[in-house]
Every structure is written in structure tokens, then in C-alpha cells.
Amino acid sequence: MTSARDEVLGRVRAALRDVEGADEPVVAPPGAAAPAGTSLVEHFAERVADYRATVVQCPPDGLAAAVAAALPDGARVVVPVGLPDVVLAGIASPVVDDALSAADLDAIDAVVTCARVGIAETGTIVLDHAPDQGRRVISLVPDRHVCIVYADQVVADVPDAFPLLDPVRPLTWISGPSATSDIELDRVEGVHGPRHLHVIVVDESS
């Protein structure tokens, strides 16, 4: 009996029968650039906001205040073990993730992390779960994610991001709050992750 897999692969092989293989690796096309008159950081902020995320920009000395403003009063906030002191300064009573259980995290209101890279064209943030970002689970269970992206971490497009990412590390790509329209095309947020994404872009020129 021929499986569907065998049938599909057979068709691919038949289509490629007369095609000679390339000796040189295929070079990825260049990614998109920010529109004329718009800076890379501005383009990133606009695209992130398109996903219904909240985006604010601040100078480095305003980071603690921006973090504090992003958190509801009295919120229980989990943080990764390597979150920088300048970010911790904006959190009243941070709960450090020391292997908190899923039940523990379910009682947490928000998480604050840094990021590895921001992609302007797609409005995407990538976490590689270094110590300033923590375990993947802490960025998925709390209902609010406050994420810090520095201006020099923003690249133009996806091809520009890959050289900065370690393929052996776990990577989480975030484009807006968690959402799905699987049922009747009605958008539902918070199904697979936080309903609220708050991005703080730290920029010297802010």
C-alpha cells in the first residue's frame, strides 16, 4: 500500500527529475527596510502596536518608571533570576522564579522580562531565555507580559535576526498578545499565553 507521504514525495521527485542541484548555497534575499522617513525603532513600535500591544518608548534613565507604570497597582510580578537591577527598580515586590510550579505561576498577575531581539518589519519580539528572560513558562502563564527591548536590539527583518540567534537555544517568537480566531473567526485573546503585551523600547533618543 502506498502512503500519502510516499505519494507526495514521489511527485516531488518526479518534478525534480531533470533539475540539476546547485553547488552553492542559496542566499536568502535581503529583508525589508523601514519606510523612508521612519526610523527602525519607530517602525518596530508601529508594527508591535498593530497587534494591539501597548508600546512605550523611554530613555535609559526612565526605564524603572516605565516598568512601574506598566504594572497594575498591587500586581504580583514574577521575574527571571537575571533581570537587571535597573528593571527591578520599577517593581515593588518582585517574585523571583526559582522553579515556580504552574499553580504558583497561575496566581501571578504579570511577568517582566528582557528580550534577545526585536524585528521591525513583523513587529516580533524574540526571547532566547537567557537569564534576563527566564524560563519559557514564565512568559506564557501570567496574563500580562512586560517586555523590555533596547533600541540596539531592533533589526529590520527576519533575515537580519537569524544571525543573532543561537539555534540550539529555545526560542519564543512573540507577535502581539496571545490570540486565536479558530472558532467562527471570532478573535479570542489569552488562549495560549498572556492577553496583555506591554513593550518598553529603551532608546537614548526618546
Side-chain angles (χ1 to χ4, degrees), residues 1-15 17:
M1 175 182 291
T2 301
S3 69
R5 177 177 180 273
D6 293 334
E7 183 178 342
V8 170
L9 290 177
R11 291 183 182 182
V12 172
R13 292 188 185 100
R17 184 175 298 123

Side-chain angles (χ1 to χ4, degrees), residues 10-104:
R11 291 183 182 182
V12 172
R13 292 188 185 100
L16 297 176
R17 184 175 298 123
D18 299 326
V19 178
E20 294 184 8
D23 295 328
E24 299 295 328
V26 177
V27 178
T38 302
S39 74
L40 202 58
V41 169
E42 290 171 340
H43 189 44
F44 172 70
E46 290 173 1
R47 289 301 173 94
V48 173
D50 285 344
Y51 285 108
R52 303 185 187 179
T54 301
V55 186
V56 298
Q57 298 183 46
C58 71
D61 60 3
L63 177 54
V67 171
L71 298 169
D73 291 340
R76 297 194 69 210
V77 182
V78 65
V79 298
V81 294
L83 198 67
D85 289 342
V86 66
V87 182
L88 287 171
I91 307 170
S93 301
V95 177
V96 177
D97 175 41
D98 55 356
L100 295 173
S101 69
D104 293 332

Side-chain angles (χ1 to χ4, degrees), residues 4-189:
R5 177 177 180 273
D6 293 334
E7 183 178 342
V8 170
L9 290 177
R11 291 183 182 182
V12 172
R13 292 188 185 100
L16 297 176
R17 184 175 298 123
D18 299 326
V19 178
E20 294 184 8
D23 295 328
E24 299 295 328
V26 177
V27 178
T38 302
S39 74
L40 202 58
V41 169
E42 290 171 340
H43 189 44
F44 172 70
E46 290 173 1
R47 289 301 173 94
V48 173
D50 285 344
Y51 285 108
R52 303 185 187 179
T54 301
V55 186
V56 298
Q57 298 183 46
C58 71
D61 60 3
L63 177 54
V67 171
L71 298 169
D73 291 340
R76 297 194 69 210
V77 182
V78 65
V79 298
V81 294
L83 198 67
D85 289 342
V86 66
V87 182
L88 287 171
I91 307 170
S93 301
V95 177
V96 177
D97 175 41
D98 55 356
L100 295 173
S101 69
D104 293 332
L105 289 172
D106 200 36
I108 294 288
D109 301 303
V111 57
V112 179
T113 74
C114 292
R116 178 66 185 91
V117 65
I119 303 172
E121 182 64 17
T122 60
T124 302
I125 297 161
V126 185
L127 309 186
D128 67 1
H129 303 285
D132 62 351
Q133 299 151 51
R135 296 184 298 153
R136 175 177 281 171
V137 67
I138 70 170
S139 65
L140 296 176
V141 177
D143 200 34
R144 178 180 300 270
H145 184 184
V146 178
C147 190
I148 292 95
V149 180
Y150 289 85
D152 62 3
Q153 292 181 304
V154 178
V155 298
D157 205 349
V158 173
D160 304 302
F162 278 118
L164 304 176
L165 300 173
D166 184 343
V168 303
R169 296 188 63 83
L171 300 174
T172 301
W173 297 60
I174 302 169
S175 296
S178 170
T180 180
S181 299
D182 287 349
I183 301 176
E184 300 292 339
L185 298 180
D186 290 331
R187 181 180 171 93
V188 178
E189 297 182 342

